[in-house]
Amino acid sequence: MNPPRASVTRTDAKAYARINLKGIWAAALTPFQPDGAIDEDGFRRNLRHWVDDLGIDGVFVSGKQGEFFSMSLAERKRTFDLAVAEIGGSRTILSCSDQNLDTVIELARHAQAIGSDYIVVHAPVLHFLTKQDETLLAYYRTVSEAVDIGIALWSHPDSGYLMSPELCARVAELPNVVAIKYSVPRETYARLTRLAGDRLIVSTASEEEWLDNIIELGWQLYLCSSPPYLYQTSTDRRMRDYTDLAFKGDHARAKVVRDGLNPVREAFKRSRPPEKFHAHSKYWQELLGQAGGAVRRPMLELSDAEKEATRRAFESCGLKLAGARSAA
C-alpha cells in the first residue's frame, strides 16, 4: 500500500511520484458563466465525469487552458479548493505559474495546505536574458524550498526560450522536482528522458505521440491537455483503452485503437478557428454534455457560423454517444 501523502517528506517526493504520478492526466478548461463568474457546479460535474466515467487518472487545474491569466489570485485558489474537494489531492496537479514569484509561492503553499500532491510551475518569461540557465536553476530552487510536495516543471516556447535537456536534468536534482511537461520536439524530450532517468518523469501534451512514447521511451505519464475528455465519452473510452493495452504490453492492439481515433482528431482540428482554441474546446465540451461555458477576455468567443461548423464536424467524427451524457 502506498503511504498517505501526509507521511511523505520532501526527500521522498520523487519515489512517491514514481509510484503514483502515472496514467492519463488532463488539463482542465475552466467553465465560466455568461457574467464571467466561475461555474463551480459545472466544474465539479466535469471533474466527477472525467474521473468516474472516462477513467482519467488526474487533472491539471488552472493552467493556460484553464485561463489562469484571466483569474484573480482568490479565484485560482478557489479552483484548487474545488478540485481537491471533488476528486482528492492525489488526483490533482495545481498550476502555480505566474511571473511574480511571490504569487507562485503563495499558490504553492495553498496547494500543499489543502492536500494536493503536486504543483506545476511554468518557466517564467525572461525575454531580457539571453542565457537563462543559472537564473532558472535559482528560480526553481526557491520554489522547491518553499514546499514539500512534488513539483512539475513546464517548459514551452511561450516563455520565449526552451529549457535544454541538460538544464532540466540539473533542476531535477532538486529533491521534490518530480516531473516535467516538456513542450518541445520529440528528439529533445527523448534526450531528456535518457539523461534524467528516474530523477524526472518526462511527459508532453501531444496525445498523438502518447502511445509511441509509452512503447519507445517507457513513459508512464500523459501530462497533459484536453483530449482525454474531448475525444472520449463514457461509452467510447478509446484513449483510456489504448493506454491500458499499451501498459499491458499489447502494443499491436493499442495501435489499432489509437488509430481508430483519427477521425475524431481530424474533425476537432478541422473545425477549430484560428486563435479560438478555448472557445472551440468549450463548445465541443457542450456538445458532449459537459459544462463548457464562456471564455474570458482576452479570449474570443465562437461566431454562430463557427459553432455550426463545429457541430457538423462533431456529428460526423464517429464518437459513440449512446449511454453518454446527451449532446447539447
Side-chain angles (χ1 to χ4, degrees):
M1 178 181 294
N2 298 332
R5 185 62 183 88
S7 68
V8 179
T9 68
R10 182 168 174 265
T11 55
D12 295 328
K14 289 186 191 295
Y16 179 84
R18 182 62 61 180
I19 295 170
N20 295 284
L21 186 57
K22 59 178 58 176
I24 299 170
W25 287 57
L29 293 150
T30 306
F32 296 114
Q33 297 175 358
D35 64 0
I38 296 170
D39 179 357
E40 295 191 1
D41 290 341
F43 188 46
R44 290 189 189 95
R45 288 196 305 274
N46 284 350
L47 291 165
R48 196 80 266 151
H49 171 56
W50 299 343
V51 169
D52 293 345
D53 300 335
L54 305 184
I56 291 172
D57 296 293
V59 180
F60 182 124
V61 177
S62 292
K64 290 182 209 170
Q65 294 197 56
E67 298 176 76
F68 83 88
F69 45 79
S70 71
M71 288 192 277
S72 68
L73 182 59
E75 287 175 320
R76 294 177 71 179
K77 288 181 179 179
R78 181 59 179 161
T79 62
F80 290 6
D81 295 344
L82 292 168
V84 171
E86 192 63 42
I87 60 174
S90 64
R91 285 181 166 145
T92 58
I93 183 164
L94 307 181
S95 177
C96 301
S97 305
D98 201 89
Q99 277 300 102
N100 184 296
L101 184 55
D102 288 342
T103 298
V104 173
I105 291 173
E106 183 173 346
L107 287 167
R109 287 174 171 160
H110 183 76
Q112 177 170 305
I114 62 174
S116 181
D117 281 358
Y118 314 101
I119 60 170
V120 60
V121 181
H122 196 291
V125 175
L126 296 172
H127 57 78
F128 35 82
L129 299 179
T130 56
K131 295 182 179 179
Q132 301 93 355
D133 286 16
E134 296 307 316
T135 301
L136 288 165
L137 184 58
Y139 177 87
Y140 279 113
R141 183 181 294 113
T142 301
V143 179
S144 169
E145 292 172 351
V147 291
D148 295 318
I149 59 177
I151 300 167
L153 315 176
W154 186 5
S155 182
H156 189 285
D158 285 358
S159 296
Y161 60 89
L162 290 171
M163 296 173 65
S164 70
E166 292 74 17
L167 173 60
C168 294
R170 288 179 68 197
V171 178
E173 296 290 345
L174 296 168
N176 54 338
V177 169
V178 301
I180 184 170
K181 181 178 178 180
Y182 206 22
S183 303
V184 296
R186 193 167 193 267
E187 60 270 19
T188 304
Y189 64 64
R191 188 161 88 250
L192 176 58
T193 303
R194 293 189 292 270
L195 277 174
D198 287 344
R199 290 174 294 157
L200 196 68
I201 301 168
V202 182
S203 188
T204 196
S206 172
E207 181 271 330
E208 293 179 53
E209 298 172 29
W210 167 229
L211 177 58
D212 292 337
N213 292 334
I214 299 173
I215 296 170
E216 298 171 15
L217 300 177
W219 279 14
Q220 69 179 61
L221 175 66
Y222 175 78
L223 183 75
C224 51
S225 190
S226 52
Y229 56 84
L230 295 180
Y231 295 176
Q232 300 192 105
T233 72
S234 60
T235 54
D236 189 351
R237 306 192 335 171
R238 279 177 275 178
M239 186 178 178
R240 178 77 268 168
D241 292 343
Y242 80 67
T243 297
D244 290 343
L245 287 167
F247 283 161
K248 292 174 184 175
D250 194 342
H251 299 162
R253 286 179 62 201
K255 289 178 180 179
V256 171
V257 177
R258 185 267 314 271
D259 293 347
L261 269 176
N262 283 338
V264 180
R265 297 184 186 98
E266 292 164 4
F268 182 81
K269 293 174 183 176
R270 181 178 71 249
S271 61
R272 184 175 64 207
E275 311 301 331
K276 293 186 178 181
F277 174 85
H278 293 80
H280 176 260
S281 296
K282 288 183 174 186
Y283 185 61
W284 193 277
Q285 279 188 284
E286 291 174 6
L287 295 171
L288 285 165
Q290 299 175 28
V295 296
R296 280 183 173 177
R297 293 287 179 261
M299 300 295 99
L300 297 174
E301 296 285 4
L302 298 185
S303 68
D304 288 344
E306 289 165 343
K307 287 184 177 180
E308 180 58 27
T310 300
R311 180 186 290 274
R312 289 198 303 269
F314 176 84
E315 291 173 347
S316 68
C317 75
L319 271 175
K320 299 171 186 174
L321 299 175
R325 298 169 183 232
S326 58

